[in-house]
Amino acid sequence: MTEREFTSVWSDLAQVEFSQGFIQAGPYRTRYLKAGSQDKPLLLMLHGVTGHAEAYVRNLKAHAEHFNVYAIDFIGHGYSAKPDHPLEIPHYIDQVHHVMDTLGYDKAYFSGESLGGWVTARFAQLYPDKVERIALNTMGGTMANPQVMERLYTLSMQAAEDPSWERVKARLEWLMADPSMVTADLIKTRQMIFQQPDWPRACRMNMALQDLETRKRNMLSDDDLRAIKAEALVIWTTKDPSGPVDEGRRIAELIPNGRLQVIENAGHWPQYEQTAVFNRVHLDFLLGNEAV
């Protein structure tokens, strides 16, 4: 493993005009990272389970040239409100609705990673008039692999109950093809979230979708995917720990206006691990460059 140049969230954001803060989106206090101006179309960036808005720190600058970008913390995640009940896909969709209403947008572009892709796909299926283009990045919701679910649950709950450096590091390393991408800064960023007093309870709530019966009633069927009308870019990677490229291809073929983009040498966070490639193909698609 080669030693990497030191990076941090702050070096990623050093030349980015951005803000972070909270909005009261209906009943949900929602934390965000924002870049871009109000006169541009809204782009919502939605992270994966137990994740947070910092998943997109390497993408804000490039996208803010074209969009009003909000990377939010889902409820039960990051520093957003943490409801005291198991969190299923309709709960996240309700938060997204409130965020859009609070920001004053009737329509948005969406980019969702893992859980965020699951929420995005369901939102696009149910509310086609509220959606422009969607990017589904190593998305969840179409598979129920007990081994993957158990591994994710165990790593997440271990880090929730004992947010030590090594446990948080192990949870982050699950995301990456190259474990050296998990920097000390990234570990500390997530460790601070996991050290919140209410995190063990919140983690149990956001892990609800790793329970097989709960997952089954939230999953996206083939017919659900066929019902998505939006132009959709399915992004998969050659080293994704949640499922093979064939699953990404299957999803892209089921969505009527879907297409597949495979990113090499990345795991579950291609937007972070292969930033230049991700930003290029992602923006080409969102902006309507059909050469993708």
Side-chain angles (χ1 to χ4, degrees):
M1 185 173 68
T2 58
E3 187 172 335
R4 292 187 179 276
E5 180 183 356
F6 177 80
T7 63
S8 76
V9 169
W10 286 109
S11 60
D12 292 331
L13 295 172
Q15 298 184 57
V16 183
E17 187 173 346
F18 82 103
S19 62
Q20 70 167 332
F22 293 84
I23 55 172
Q24 190 64 37
Y28 310 117
R29 188 171 189 254
T30 298
R31 183 218 177 206
Y32 64 82
L33 297 177
K34 175 197 182 306
S37 57
Q38 189 72 28
D39 60 337
K40 294 183 172 67
L42 177 64
L43 170 61
L44 290 176
M45 290 184 153
L46 307 177
H47 62 74
V49 71
T50 76
H52 37 90
E54 283 83 2
Y56 294 103
V57 290
R58 295 184 170 178
N59 316 109
L60 291 177
K61 183 179 181 182
H63 289 76
E65 294 178 24
H66 307 280
F67 296 98
N68 191 22
V69 184
Y70 277 80
I72 66 169
D73 286 349
F74 274 137
I75 52 173
H77 292 74
Y79 298 106
S80 286
K82 297 178 178 62
D84 192 14
H85 60 75
L87 293 170
E88 301 187 37
I89 298 302
H91 300 122
Y92 299 118
I93 285 177
D94 190 48
Q95 181 192 19
V96 170
H97 266 134
H98 282 295
V99 167
M100 289 178 66
D101 288 346
T102 303
L103 296 178
Y105 285 87
D106 295 325
K107 298 185 80 170
Y109 291 77
F110 286 81
S111 182
E113 176 262 328
S114 195
L115 170 64
W118 190 347
V119 173
T120 293
R122 180 68 82 194
F123 191 93
Q125 176 207 354
L126 296 176
Y127 306 103
D129 294 342
K130 289 182 172 289
V131 172
E132 297 284 0
R133 292 182 170 224
I134 61 173
L136 306 171
N137 175 12
T138 63
M139 68 176 282
T142 64
M143 296 178 287
N145 183 320
Q147 289 76 31
V148 172
M149 292 158 60
E150 173 60 28
R151 177 69 174 151
L152 189 56
Y153 180 87
T154 299
L155 285 171
S156 298
M157 289 310 304
Q158 285 177 343
E161 291 163 1
D162 171 24
S164 65
W165 193 264
E166 287 306 313
R167 291 219 186 271
V168 176
K169 181 172 181 279
R171 177 62 181 87
L172 284 163
E173 286 179 343
W174 184 86
L175 298 167
M176 309 293 186
D178 179 356
S180 73
M181 295 294 291
V182 178
T183 63
D185 179 78
L186 194 58
I187 297 168
K188 185 61 179 176
T189 298
R190 184 164 289 202
Q191 185 183 41
M192 288 175 66
I193 291 170
F194 284 15
Q195 286 173 334
Q196 294 174 97
D198 58 356
W199 184 254
R201 175 181 57 80
C203 196
R204 283 192 294 275
M205 298 304 102
N206 69 44
M207 280 284 112
L209 291 168
Q210 308 311 314
D211 170 73
L212 187 58
E213 290 309 310
T214 305
R215 191 179 191 89
K216 282 181 177 177
R217 66 172 172 261
N218 285 272
M219 284 178 69
L220 294 156
S221 69
D222 289 2
D223 283 343
D224 292 334
L225 294 171
R226 291 187 187 104
I228 294 172
K229 296 177 181 177
E231 295 277 348
L233 178 66
V234 178
I235 298 172
W236 219 265
T237 69
T238 54
K239 299 181 179 179
D240 180 66
S242 72
V245 170
D246 283 349
E247 181 62 14
R249 183 172 294 108
R250 191 183 73 85
I251 293 166
E253 288 173 353
L254 285 167
I255 298 173
N257 297 306
R259 69 202 73 176
L260 176 68
Q261 176 70 52
V262 178
I263 295 180
E264 303 281 341
N265 298 316
H268 209 50
W269 263 25
Q271 79 284 354
Y272 187 89
E273 201 167 8
Q274 294 292 344
T275 303
V277 174
F278 179 91
N279 284 346
R280 176 175 55 78
V281 300
H282 194 250
L283 275 170
D284 278 351
F285 166 73
L286 292 178
L287 297 173
N289 181 347
E290 302 307 325
V292 170

